[in-house]
Amino acid sequence: MPSRDNPPPARRDARRNRERLLECARRAFADQGAQAALDGIAREAGLVVGTLYRHFPTRLDLLYAVLEPKLSHVVNEVEAALGLEDPWEAFRGLLEVLCTAQAGDRAFGDFLARRFPGDDRTDAVHSEICALAQRVLGRAQAAGVVRPDVTGADLFLLLWASSRVAEATRHVAPSMWRRHVYLALDGFRASTRLDLREPAWDADQLYRAMAEPGKVFHGEEPLRRAGEAP
């Protein structure tokens, strides 16, 4: 008689199919964002799209199943940052957690920017992350370590900018976004300067990133060599 640990073949097949779909969906959503083609995910998993819909009746069901582990991790990490004794370290930790989570994961960036219709599940997690971020920011401002005119919107603009940098540079230097996050962090306070953690690019590296195959630039060249006159 099949046991819980040794399910019948049909159930084992269903479990394997679900795991394959999640694995392929995780790659597709990370690379293409929340609008990745579902039929392409099914094909990559070696299944028909009907099997996908049997496991995940809607796009959001699949997307949430993919994102939920990362969302739980991010909430736990932001809560841990909030618990740090040093308000500045908590603030820095908040931005590092969020920027790290979205680097190389377009779907998570879409979630943060709310670029797809959500439901009670996604809305609840998004509200929780925003509330925790606001608490971290408020504590840092009350301690006098972050400028009092910084808003939650400023933090999301930094996240948006970081996601664009990470996307543009992923084939040349996947961690370059960290340098620009540290530059931005340094701008949030006027006292000591942070170690940027990443070396500066030269003009050739930046040009190669901006001229990534498939990119089309209109008008002027995407980059002038360092020191060239405009």
Side-chain angles (χ1 to χ4, degrees):
M1 178 178 178
S3 66
R4 187 174 182 178
D5 295 330
N6 184 29
R11 193 177 302 169
R12 289 198 297 269
D13 288 345
R15 182 182 298 171
R16 283 195 296 268
N17 288 345
R18 188 179 191 278
E19 290 171 353
R20 283 203 301 270
L21 286 167
L22 284 173
E23 180 183 351
C24 295
R26 191 172 293 111
R27 290 196 298 265
F29 286 139
D31 186 57
Q32 303 166 38
Q35 297 306 313
L38 299 187
D39 56 349
I41 292 172
R43 283 196 304 272
E44 179 69 20
L47 302 167
V48 297
V49 74
T51 301
L52 183 152
Y53 282 118
R54 281 196 294 275
H55 288 275
F56 306 100
T58 69
R59 173 182 293 273
L60 186 59
D61 289 329
L62 177 59
L63 187 57
Y64 186 75
V66 167
L67 285 177
E68 195 278 333
K70 176 172 278 191
L71 295 177
S72 296
H73 174 75
V74 166
V75 169
N76 290 337
E77 289 294 302
V78 174
E79 287 177 338
L82 184 60
L84 292 175
E85 183 177 352
D86 185 332
W88 174 258
E89 289 302 312
F91 180 72
R92 186 175 70 173
L94 164 71
L95 293 179
E96 286 185 334
V97 166
L98 294 177
C99 290
T100 299
Q102 74 173 356
D105 190 342
R106 290 186 179 181
F108 186 78
D110 287 343
F111 166 80
L112 286 180
R114 309 191 82 163
R115 284 191 286 263
F116 58 84
D119 62 5
D120 290 345
R121 296 169 296 179
T122 56
D123 289 348
V125 179
H126 196 279
S127 296
E128 184 175 11
I129 291 174
C130 289
L132 288 169
Q134 193 62 50
R135 287 175 61 191
V136 173
L137 173 60
R139 179 177 172 228
Q141 289 174 320
V145 295
V146 170
R147 294 168 54 122
D149 53 355
V150 171
T151 68
D154 292 321
L155 303 189
F156 273 90
L157 282 171
L158 172 58
L159 291 172
W160 178 82
S162 176
S163 71
R164 300 284 75 80
V165 170
E167 184 173 330
T169 63
R170 59 182 178 158
H171 298 302
V172 180
S175 62
M176 178 49 64
W177 61 269
R178 293 183 182 277
R179 176 181 175 87
H180 293 273
V181 167
Y182 272 85
L183 282 168
L185 272 166
D186 211 25
F188 283 128
R189 66 175 183 179
S191 56
T192 57
R193 295 294 181 259
L194 292 172
D195 177 0
L196 297 179
R197 305 291 177 92
E198 293 289 334
W201 273 13
D202 60 30
D204 182 65
Q205 288 174 304
L206 184 55
Y207 180 86
R208 286 191 291 117
M210 296 180 69
E212 177 186 340
K215 293 281 185 71
V216 177
F217 296 92
H218 301 282
E220 59 187 11
E221 293 180 357
L223 175 73
R224 294 181 184 276
R225 294 284 176 174
E228 285 185 349

